[in-house]
Amino acid sequence: MVTKVQKINPGNFKKEELEEACDILKNGGLVAFPTETVYGLGGDALNPLAASKIYKAKGRPSDNPLIVHIACMEDLYKVAEDITENGRKLAEAFWPGPLTMVFKKKDIVPLSVTGGLLTVAVRMPGHPVARELIRQSGVCIAAPSANKSGRPSPVRAEHVIEDLDGKIDMVIDGGSARVGIESSIIDVSGEVPVILRPGYITKDMAGQVVGNIFTDPAIESRTPVDGITAKAPGMKYRHYAPEGELIIVEGDISNVICKINMFVKDKEKEGCKTAVIATDETKDKYRCSIVKSIGSRKHEASIAAGLYDILREMDYLGAQFIYSESFDNDILGGAVMNRMIKAAAYHIVRA
Ligand code: AMP
Ligand code: MG
């Protein structure tokens, strides 16, 4: 299969530019498209064949459910039932936007889309191309991130091509994803909402809307704990990982810099290709042949937006060992660290 790349300017495009993508979706094919979080790999959520193509193209385990993307509230009532008051309030506050919610599913949604669960994860994206694609095709779009399973999520169309060229019908290239990490996931199917995956919409933000809110203990843990399984099936897999070994160094920043410089010296002496993930504020303080800034601590959204780009860049550079500062203390830090800890397979060192 030849994967067509279609460039679209999200700030100024005509409906006709999405016609071919809409036809592909309506006929059960796959289209990767930009959203504000990361690029999604879209197929018709109500067509089990399209769902199975998504799993196959990504190499995704079949028990890891897909998020269904919708364009308006009427779509929500098509795919979900027993919409709780909390779900309604959060939708009003944060949709369209980087929030996914888990509801009871309607029978029309195939179990292959929900990984066999009786719930369905739904998001109304805010990206103009994503919204128009859903609206114009009339298709509720099941879309996981458009990467090969386990790889860092794609934040540019080039990343999608790297992982899925020849395996999907089309990629819509709409430039860089603004947020850069996947949506927050909140389960609103029960009495008290539970955060299953941290993201741009933080616990505080959601808590201001619904009051009481919990976090799934599995996602707060900094080590794999026996007997605790994440409630979002996808959160249990090693994920987001670069090819080299990633090690997070945490502690007081001056100690962190000192410790990373020590590690680098040892590894470079052994002849290993070594890299450092720093910030704009610290990048000049490292002695390593590869030092890359993920963003600025003064603008923490830039760190989230830079995460997957920098992890992929480490692969292009052939880094065998990657030492990174920790980002725990920022508001978005919980979301960034959640991905980083998994990319590092829980390898964290205290300086
Ligand atoms: P991705 O689209 O690649 O970001 O992955 C979707 C995430 O949503 C995975 O972590 C899934 O486990 C999670 N998810 C999707 N549907 C459900 C559901 N019904 N219940 C809990 N988590 C879900
Ligand atoms: Mg993913």
Side-chain angles (χ1 to χ4, degrees):
M1 174 190 294
V2 177
T3 301
K4 178 167 180 180
V5 180
Q6 170 142 15
K7 266 200 181 294
I8 286 192
N9 176 357
N12 180 19
F13 65 93
K14 294 198 191 76
K15 273 170 63 173
E16 299 81 74
E17 293 176 69
L18 288 175
E19 238 160 49
E20 193 177 344
C22 290
D23 286 342
I24 294 170
L25 288 169
K26 285 191 268 191
N27 291 313
L30 302 187
V31 177
F33 61 97
T35 82
E36 69 275 33
T37 57
V38 302
Y39 272 69
L41 174 57
D44 182 350
L46 306 184
N47 175 348
L49 269 177
S52 72
K53 283 187 196 168
I54 293 177
Y55 285 98
K56 186 157 175 243
K58 279 181 62 82
R60 182 175 177 106
S62 62
D63 69 343
N64 188 2
L66 311 176
I67 293 171
V68 176
H69 292 69
I70 59 171
C72 56
M73 283 306 275
E74 289 86 86
D75 289 345
L76 175 64
Y77 293 92
K78 264 190 231 162
V79 296
E81 60 189 12
D82 296 350
I83 314 289
T84 53
E85 182 63 19
N86 285 329
R88 253 193 301 270
K89 282 188 192 158
L90 288 168
E92 193 166 305
F94 301 114
W95 277 359
L99 172 68
T100 295
M101 284 189 277
V102 173
F103 300 93
K104 280 206 187 110
K105 85 171 191 71
K106 279 219 166 122
D107 289 343
I108 193 175
V109 182
L111 286 168
S112 54
V113 166
T114 65
L117 298 173
L118 298 178
T119 52
V120 60
V122 186
R123 178 162 100 88
M124 190 190 292
H127 194 287
V129 172
R131 292 199 74 189
E132 184 55 25
L133 186 66
I134 305 164
R135 203 199 57 73
Q136 202 176 312
S137 64
V139 168
C140 291
I141 303 181
S145 49
N147 52 318
K148 212 163 103 189
S149 207
R151 298 265 298 135
S153 295
V155 291
R156 285 187 280 119
E158 296 92 293
H159 299 159
V160 179
I161 289 294
E162 255 167 53
D163 283 11
L164 300 177
D165 192 22
K167 295 184 171 154
I168 61 177
D169 300 285
M170 181 186 271
V171 182
I172 299 174
D173 180 352
S176 293
R178 178 178 58 84
V179 173
I181 53 173
E182 301 83 350
S183 56
S184 313
I185 303 180
I186 304 182
D187 184 345
V188 291
S189 66
E191 207 157 294
V192 179
V194 184
I195 299 181
L196 305 186
R197 177 171 74 183
Y200 193 80
I201 306 298
T202 62
K203 187 177 187 177
D204 278 354
M205 288 159 78
Q208 278 175 23
V209 176
V210 293
N212 209 5
I213 184 163
F214 295 147
T215 303
D216 178 6
I219 60 172
E220 285 189 318
S221 122
R222 311 184 104 251
T223 48
V225 183
D226 281 347
I228 298 190
T229 311
K231 293 202 178 55
M235 300 297 282
K236 69 176 180 275
Y237 296 105
R238 182 172 185 245
H239 210 169
Y240 320 118
E243 275 148 27
E245 192 174 328
L246 173 65
I247 300 111
I248 301 164
V249 183
E250 63 178 10
D252 179 79
I253 191 66
S254 52
N255 295 342
V256 167
I257 293 167
C258 198
K259 188 99 180 172
I260 289 182
N261 277 329
M262 270 168 50
F263 282 137
V264 168
K265 197 169 165 194
D266 287 350
K267 285 293 173 203
E268 288 193 334
K269 216 187 274 171
E270 288 169 24
C272 300
K273 193 145 196 189
T274 309
V276 175
I277 297 180
T279 57
D280 291 355
E281 290 78 17
T282 56
K283 64 182 191 307
D284 299 328
K285 303 213 161 81
Y286 292 99
R287 293 183 298 280
C288 181
S289 53
I290 305 172
V291 180
K292 297 285 169 190
S293 171
I294 188 173
S296 165
R297 285 191 194 266
K298 290 190 197 119
H299 309 283
E300 62 171 30
S302 70
I303 292 178
L307 175 68
Y308 290 129
D309 237 332
I310 211 166
L311 292 181
R312 283 192 182 246
E313 193 178 354
M314 291 298 155
D315 289 347
Y316 310 149
L317 294 164
Q320 293 167 285
F321 290 90
I322 306 153
Y323 295 95
S324 176
E325 293 177 14
S326 163
F327 303 98
D328 241 358
N329 296 327
D330 309 317
I331 300 168
L332 269 179
V336 172
M337 283 305 283
N338 170 265
R339 275 63 169 187
M340 271 216 154
I341 287 172
K342 292 178 77 193
Y346 295 94
H347 193 160
I348 308 169
V349 177
R350 179 120 204 121

